[in-house]
mmCIF file of all heavy atoms in Angstrom:
data_model
loop_
_atom_site.group_PDB
_atom_site.id
_atom_site.type_symbol
_atom_site.label_atom_id
_atom_site.label_comp_id
_atom_site.label_asym_id
_atom_site.label_seq_id
_atom_site.Cartn_x
_atom_site.Cartn_y
_atom_site.Cartn_z
ATOM 1 N N LEU B 346 90.143 128.701 87.797
ATOM 2 C CA LEU B 346 90.478 129.757 86.843
ATOM 3 C C LEU B 346 91.253 130.960 87.512
ATOM 4 O O LEU B 346 92.257 131.407 87.096
ATOM 5 C CB LEU B 346 89.282 130.211 86.211
ATOM 6 C CG LEU B 346 89.469 130.796 84.757
ATOM 7 C CD1 LEU B 346 90.025 129.737 83.798
ATOM 8 C CD2 LEU B 346 88.260 131.437 84.111
ATOM 9 N N GLY B 347 90.643 131.324 88.667
ATOM 10 C CA GLY B 347 91.261 132.332 89.382
ATOM 11 C C GLY B 347 92.658 132.002 89.875
ATOM 12 O O GLY B 347 93.645 132.922 89.829
ATOM 13 N N THR B 348 92.781 130.825 90.360
ATOM 14 C CA THR B 348 94.173 130.458 90.849
ATOM 15 C C THR B 348 95.139 130.449 89.620
ATOM 16 O O THR B 348 96.316 130.897 89.720
ATOM 17 C CB THR B 348 94.075 128.953 91.281
ATOM 18 O OG1 THR B 348 92.937 128.801 91.994
ATOM 19 C CG2 THR B 348 95.268 128.700 92.331
ATOM 20 N N VAL B 349 94.590 130.024 88.555
ATOM 21 C CA VAL B 349 95.560 129.929 87.215
ATOM 22 C C VAL B 349 95.954 131.274 86.813
ATOM 23 O O VAL B 349 96.998 131.496 86.358
ATOM 24 C CB VAL B 349 94.854 129.083 86.136
ATOM 25 C CG1 VAL B 349 95.724 129.218 84.894
ATOM 26 C CG2 VAL B 349 94.753 127.708 86.674
ATOM 27 N N LEU B 350 94.934 132.298 86.987
ATOM 28 C CA LEU B 350 95.320 133.565 86.474
ATOM 29 C C LEU B 350 95.915 134.492 87.530
ATOM 30 O O LEU B 350 95.992 135.700 87.300
ATOM 31 C CB LEU B 350 94.047 134.284 85.839
ATOM 32 C CG LEU B 350 93.432 133.541 84.727
ATOM 33 C CD1 LEU B 350 92.107 134.177 84.268
ATOM 34 C CD2 LEU B 350 94.407 133.440 83.523
ATOM 35 N N HIS B 351 96.155 134.032 88.700
ATOM 36 C CA HIS B 351 96.666 134.866 89.802
ATOM 37 C C HIS B 351 98.027 135.278 89.379
ATOM 38 O O HIS B 351 98.770 134.531 88.793
ATOM 39 C CB HIS B 351 96.689 133.946 91.011
ATOM 40 C CG HIS B 351 97.175 134.835 92.165
ATOM 41 N ND1 HIS B 351 98.399 134.935 92.659
ATOM 42 C CD2 HIS B 351 96.273 135.578 92.988
ATOM 43 C CE1 HIS B 351 98.457 135.675 93.782
ATOM 44 N NE2 HIS B 351 97.122 136.042 93.903
ATOM 45 N N PRO B 352 98.387 136.606 89.763
ATOM 46 C CA PRO B 352 99.771 137.132 89.429
ATOM 47 C C PRO B 352 100.904 136.155 89.746
ATOM 48 O O PRO B 352 101.826 135.984 88.992
ATOM 49 C CB PRO B 352 99.863 138.380 90.041
ATOM 50 C CG PRO B 352 98.380 138.812 90.401
ATOM 51 C CD PRO B 352 97.629 137.603 90.405
ATOM 52 N N ARG B 353 100.919 135.609 90.907
ATOM 53 C CA ARG B 353 101.872 134.866 91.416
ATOM 54 C C ARG B 353 102.107 133.678 90.369
ATOM 55 O O ARG B 353 103.173 133.274 90.038
ATOM 56 C CB ARG B 353 101.641 134.421 92.813
ATOM 57 C CG ARG B 353 102.627 133.603 93.476
ATOM 58 C CD ARG B 353 102.157 133.313 94.817
ATOM 59 N NE ARG B 353 102.621 132.059 95.282
ATOM 60 C CZ ARG B 353 103.721 131.946 96.124
ATOM 61 N NH1 ARG B 353 104.499 133.059 96.439
ATOM 62 N NH2 ARG B 353 104.075 130.775 96.506
ATOM 63 N N GLN B 354 100.928 133.044 90.007
ATOM 64 C CA GLN B 354 100.945 131.940 89.114
ATOM 65 C C GLN B 354 101.519 132.432 87.766
ATOM 66 O O GLN B 354 102.225 131.658 87.085
ATOM 67 C CB GLN B 354 99.639 131.376 89.060
ATOM 68 C CG GLN B 354 99.410 130.039 88.226
ATOM 69 C CD GLN B 354 100.405 129.082 88.654
ATOM 70 O OE1 GLN B 354 100.703 128.834 89.858
ATOM 71 N NE2 GLN B 354 100.924 128.264 87.648
ATOM 72 N N CYS B 355 101.151 133.560 87.359
ATOM 73 C CA CYS B 355 101.552 134.104 86.051
ATOM 74 C C CYS B 355 103.002 134.224 85.991
ATOM 75 O O CYS B 355 103.690 133.818 84.984
ATOM 76 C CB CYS B 355 100.844 135.425 85.737
ATOM 77 S SG CYS B 355 99.223 135.281 85.388
ATOM 78 N N VAL B 356 103.673 134.761 87.068
ATOM 79 C CA VAL B 356 105.195 134.779 87.158
ATOM 80 C C VAL B 356 105.701 133.428 87.052
ATOM 81 O O VAL B 356 106.610 133.303 86.317
ATOM 82 C CB VAL B 356 105.466 135.529 88.491
ATOM 83 C CG1 VAL B 356 107.086 135.377 88.702
ATOM 84 C CG2 VAL B 356 105.055 136.983 88.523
ATOM 85 N N HIS B 357 105.135 132.544 87.774
ATOM 86 C CA HIS B 357 105.599 131.164 87.802
ATOM 87 C C HIS B 357 105.531 130.603 86.329
ATOM 88 O O HIS B 357 106.470 130.003 85.796
ATOM 89 C CB HIS B 357 104.665 130.324 88.736
ATOM 90 C CG HIS B 357 105.055 128.860 88.814
ATOM 91 N ND1 HIS B 357 104.542 127.924 87.903
ATOM 92 C CD2 HIS B 357 105.991 128.369 89.673
ATOM 93 C CE1 HIS B 357 105.043 126.824 88.432
ATOM 94 N NE2 HIS B 357 105.923 127.030 89.295
ATOM 95 N N SER B 358 104.502 130.822 85.630
ATOM 96 C CA SER B 358 104.332 130.369 84.307
ATOM 97 C C SER B 358 105.354 130.909 83.423
ATOM 98 O O SER B 358 106.026 130.202 82.590
ATOM 99 C CB SER B 358 102.936 130.705 83.662
ATOM 100 O OG SER B 358 102.025 130.056 84.519
ATOM 101 N N LEU B 359 105.560 132.213 83.569
ATOM 102 C CA LEU B 359 106.488 132.969 82.626
ATOM 103 C C LEU B 359 107.962 132.358 82.936
ATOM 104 O O LEU B 359 108.720 132.072 81.963
ATOM 105 C CB LEU B 359 106.407 134.505 83.107
ATOM 106 C CG LEU B 359 106.914 135.422 81.953
ATOM 107 C CD1 LEU B 359 105.937 135.387 80.938
ATOM 108 C CD2 LEU B 359 107.010 136.789 82.667
ATOM 109 N N VAL B 360 108.377 132.144 84.254
ATOM 110 C CA VAL B 360 109.646 131.705 84.536
ATOM 111 C C VAL B 360 109.827 130.364 83.866
ATOM 112 O O VAL B 360 110.861 129.877 83.271
ATOM 113 C CB VAL B 360 109.851 131.728 85.964
ATOM 114 C CG1 VAL B 360 111.116 130.949 86.359
ATOM 115 C CG2 VAL B 360 109.953 133.057 86.571
#
Side-chain angles (χ1 to χ4, degrees):
Chain B
L346 202 64
T348 324
V349 171
L350 296 179
H351 188 264
R353 187 176 146 96
Q354 182 58 31
C355 289
V356 171
H357 184 266
S358 303
L359 207 67
V360 173

